[in-house]
Amino acid sequence: MSDQPGSTEPPIPGTAVERRPAPVVRCRRCHRPLRNPESRWEELGRHCADAPAPVRIYVIDQEPLPGT
């Protein structure tokens, strides 16, 4: 049926689409749900987008190079 109240017309075949809720998109850094379309596209919240990217530091034991 049509979406308009009082309409008795059947829908055009192949056009009836079941409505589904939008998928939940979460921030890549803080994992909060995002609602802003631009934030959902970039998968970053407004506070996380302004923050510098986290820098990972690895401490690795190495032998000194010969001759130094």
Side-chain angles (χ1 to χ4, degrees), residues 35-57:
R35 290 174 176 71
N36 182 358
E38 186 176 339
S39 296
R40 289 171 63 97
W41 176 260
E42 295 176 357
E43 293 183 355
L44 280 174
R46 60 183 173 154
H47 298 294
C48 293
D50 295 338
V55 178
R56 295 185 184 193
I57 299 175

Side-chain angles (χ1 to χ4, degrees), residues 4-43:
Q4 298 175 356
S7 176
T8 58
E9 296 180 19
I12 298 172
T15 61
V17 178
E18 190 175 310
R19 293 220 174 226
R20 292 181 284 167
V24 176
V25 178
R26 296 188 176 272
C27 178
R28 285 183 278 156
R29 293 187 184 165
C30 65
H31 305 289
R32 293 181 183 169
L34 301 173
R35 290 174 176 71
N36 182 358
E38 186 176 339
S39 296
R40 289 171 63 97
W41 176 260
E42 295 176 357
E43 293 183 355

